[in-house]
Amino acid sequence: MNAFSYRDGLLHADDVDLATLAREVGTPFYCYSATALEERYLRLAEITAPSGTGIAFAVKANSNLAVIALLGRLGAGADVVSEGELRRALAAGVPADRILFSGVGKSVGELSFAIEQGIHQINVESETEFDRILELADQARTTVRIALRINPDVSAGGHDKISTGRKTDKFGIEADHAIALYQGASEHAYVEPVGLAMHIGSQIQKVAAFEAAFDRIAEIADDVKALGLSVPRLDLGGGLGVAYHDEEQELPLAHYGELLQSLAKRTGAHLMIEPGRWLVAGAGVLVTEVNAIKQAGERRFAIVDAAMNDLIRPTLYDAHHPVWPVREMADVPRHPTTVAGPVCESGDILAVDAPLPDLSAGDLVTIGHAGAYGAVMASGYNGRLLVPEVMVRGDDFAIVRRRPSHDEAMALDSIPDLETKASAA
Ligand code: LLP
C-alpha cells in the first residue's frame, strides 16, 4: 500500500487528507505515516530473518521519539552517534542492550555516558578513541564491548558527501591497524572486542558495493581469527538506497538478503545492519503552502513557505525530491516549476523544474520522500521556527513535535551587560 495517495481529489496520508491536516497544524509541517514505517520495517525484517541479522535503526535519519519508539516496539535496536541520540533512543524505550554507538568523534563525556548505560557495543573509530575507552573502562571497572570500525576502502554512496568507505574518508581504521588494536583489546581486563564494524556510504543502489565490502570484512575477520581471537559480531552499517525518482530502482532487497545469508554462513558471526534512510524516507512528506507565483526570465517559480532550513537535501546534495500538489490536478497541463523557499539565498530551492500544474498562492504542495534526513537536519536560519512533525495512523493523527513559539526560540539567548561591567572596571 502507498501511504500517500489521492482520494476524493486530495492527497491523503493513510486516511487523513493533508488539506485538513494543514488547517489543523498550520504549514509547513512534516507528516509521517505510522503504517508505512511499520510496513517498511517488517519488509526488511523478513529479508534479514533467514541470516539472523539484527536491525539497528540509524537514528540520525529521523530522531523523533515517536518514530524511534514505533520502530523499537517492532524490535529494532538503535544506531546512535551522539549523547543526544543515545538519550533519545533510551527515552523512546529502546533497551540499552540494543543500542550501538557509532561516530567518528565521540567525546569523553559521551563515552562515559554510554559506558554507564551498558549499551550493546561501541564502534571504535580511531586509536585515540580506543585509548580513551580503555582508560574509561578501567575507571568504571565494567566490561565495555567494542567493535573496531574498519575502513574497507570501497567506494559507494549516492553523492560525494555521503560516501564514507574510501581510504581517504575520515571514517574507520585501516585493516592492519584495526587488527592490532583488536589484539590489544583482547588482553585488556575491562574491554571486550566483540567484532568488526563498517559503513561504506549512504543511498547505495547497487548490491555490488555491499558484496565487495562484505567480502572485505570477512577477510579481515579471518585475519583476526588467525590470531586465535574470536569475532562473534559483524556490524555492516546502513546505506540501503531508496528511489527518490519514479524511474529509479531501490536497492534489490532480496539480493541484499542473500548476501547477508552467505556472509553469516561464511563467518559464523551474528550480523547487524544500521539502516536509516531505507526505513523512513518514503514514510514522510513535507507539506507546504504556496506563498507566491512568479516568473523570472524563462523560469517559473512557486515560492512556498518551507525552505532550505526545513529540508536542506536539495541545496546540500542537489538531491531530487518529487513535488505533489495536495489538490489532485490529474488532467491539467503541467509546466516546469521551480519550488523555492523564502530564505534569502538563491540556493534555497526545494525542487528544480518540477512538472506542476498551474498553482496559485494558497495552494498546498508536498515534498515527497522527506522522512529521512529532513526534520533532523533543520535549522532556525533566517529566524525561522523548526517545523512541527505529525504522525498519522489510519484516520487518526498526533502532533509528535509541536511548533515552538518565537519566544521559546529566543529563550536560550540573552543580552549581556558586558559594556556596563567594562566601564565600571
Ligand atoms: N551507520 C553509520 C555509521 C552512518 O554513518 C550512517 C549514515 C548510517 C548508518 C545510516 O545510513 P543510511 O542507511 O541512512 O544510508 N544526510 C545525508 C545522509 C548522511 C548519512 C550519514 N551516515 C542525506 O541526506 O542523504
Side-chain angles (χ1 to χ4, degrees):
M1 172 198 136
N2 190 349
F4 301 96
S5 56
Y6 288 101
R7 239 173 302 151
D8 306 324
L10 288 175
L11 189 61
H12 283 61
D14 285 15
D15 299 325
V16 181
D17 82 73
L18 292 172
T20 303
L21 210 48
R23 273 195 301 277
E24 299 264 349
V25 182
T27 55
F29 66 96
Y30 278 96
C31 174
Y32 309 128
S33 154
T35 325
L37 287 169
E38 240 164 54
E39 196 229 28
R40 292 297 274 188
Y41 180 82
L42 295 175
R43 223 168 104 202
L44 192 59
E46 201 177 310
I47 292 293
T48 53
S51 55
T53 304
I55 302 173
F57 169 53
V59 167
K60 63 168 74 66
N62 189 319
S63 62
N64 189 288
L65 293 186
V67 172
I68 307 172
L70 183 149
L71 295 171
R73 276 197 302 274
L74 295 173
D79 168 59
V80 302
V81 294
S82 67
E83 181 175 338
E85 285 190 356
L86 174 50
R87 284 182 184 273
R88 280 179 172 268
L90 293 168
V94 180
D97 64 6
R98 276 200 251 140
I99 300 179
L100 306 167
F101 198 172
S102 303
V104 73
K106 309 174 197 77
S107 71
V108 173
E110 289 180 315
L111 289 168
S112 306
F113 182 68
I115 291 171
E116 221 174 273
Q117 297 300 316
I119 64 168
H120 182 67
Q121 159 183 321
I122 300 177
N123 292 343
V124 179
E125 292 246 9
S126 67
E127 184 164 358
T128 319
E129 183 171 275
F130 178 81
D131 291 340
R132 205 170 264 172
I133 293 174
L134 296 196
E135 227 177 280
L136 292 170
D138 275 346
Q139 283 164 19
R141 296 181 172 276
T142 35
T143 304
V144 180
R145 287 168 299 272
I146 62 164
L148 288 148
R149 174 164 172 187
I150 49 142
N151 180 322
D153 195 16
V154 170
S155 179
H159 187 278
D160 183 50
K161 290 193 176 114
I162 55 175
S163 295
T164 50
R166 300 163 300 191
K167 207 179 190 140
T168 49
D169 290 322
K170 69 177 175 181
F171 300 97
I173 306 175
E174 275 183 276
D176 289 348
H177 191 192
I179 295 170
L181 295 177
Y182 202 102
Q183 191 166 26
S186 71
E187 289 152 14
H188 195 275
Y190 291 111
V191 172
E192 187 187 348
V194 290
L196 301 171
M198 67 176 179
H199 169 77
I200 54 173
S202 199
Q203 184 55 7
I204 299 168
Q205 268 141 325
K206 298 209 162 52
V207 275
F210 286 111
E211 199 165 3
F214 289 6
D215 271 348
R216 185 74 191 114
I217 203 168
E219 275 168 23
I220 301 170
D222 283 343
D223 292 346
V224 175
K225 288 188 214 164
L227 299 170
L229 303 169
S230 66
V231 184
R233 298 181 191 166
L234 293 178
D235 171 1
L236 306 166
L240 289 70
V242 303
Y244 284 101
H245 289 268
D246 283 348
E247 60 278 13
E248 234 172 353
Q249 294 287 314
E250 282 205 348
L251 179 84
L253 209 56
H255 191 174
Y256 178 77
E258 286 160 18
L259 290 184
L260 292 173
Q261 272 176 271
S262 57
L263 182 67
K265 208 151 136 205
R266 172 171 168 191
T267 60
H270 176 254
L271 306 182
M272 199 79 194
I273 56 171
E274 304 164 352
R277 186 191 317 268
W278 195 92
L279 290 169
V280 291
V285 295
L286 174 62
V287 183
T288 176
E289 184 177 307
V290 176
N291 269 341
I293 298 292
K294 65 188 283 187
Q295 193 75 28
E298 301 291 283
R299 181 150 273 174
R300 179 197 296 252
F301 277 104
I303 312 289
V304 296
D305 63 2
M308 63 186 280
N309 70 295
D310 306 312
L311 177 67
I312 202 173
R313 301 195 70 257
T315 305
L316 191 56
Y317 314 116
D318 293 320
H320 170 84
H321 285 263
V323 185
W324 304 310
V326 168
R327 197 158 40 88
E328 189 172 22
M329 303 180 194
D331 299 318
V332 296
R334 291 179 173 247
H335 324 274
T337 307
T338 292
V339 179
V343 160
C344 303
E345 298 216 18
S346 301
D348 177 23
I349 299 241
L350 296 170
V352 178
D353 290 342
L356 288 172
D358 273 332
L359 295 169
S360 326
D363 280 336
L364 295 167
V365 295
T366 54
I367 314 294
H369 302 302
Y373 305 110
V376 279
M377 294 180 78
S379 77
Y381 186 40
N382 272 210
R384 291 168 55 83
L385 298 171
L386 292 183
V387 302
E389 296 168 79
V390 176
M391 187 176 275
V392 170
R393 180 188 286 280
D395 59 4
D396 204 4
F397 75 91
I399 296 175
V400 294
R401 180 193 189 111
R402 66 175 176 81
R403 196 188 306 275
S405 68
H406 283 287
D407 283 342
E408 283 174 308
M410 283 187 278
L412 292 175
D413 296 16
S414 59
I415 301 173
D417 62 349
L418 297 175
E419 288 79 5
T420 328
K421 277 195 197 147
S423 52

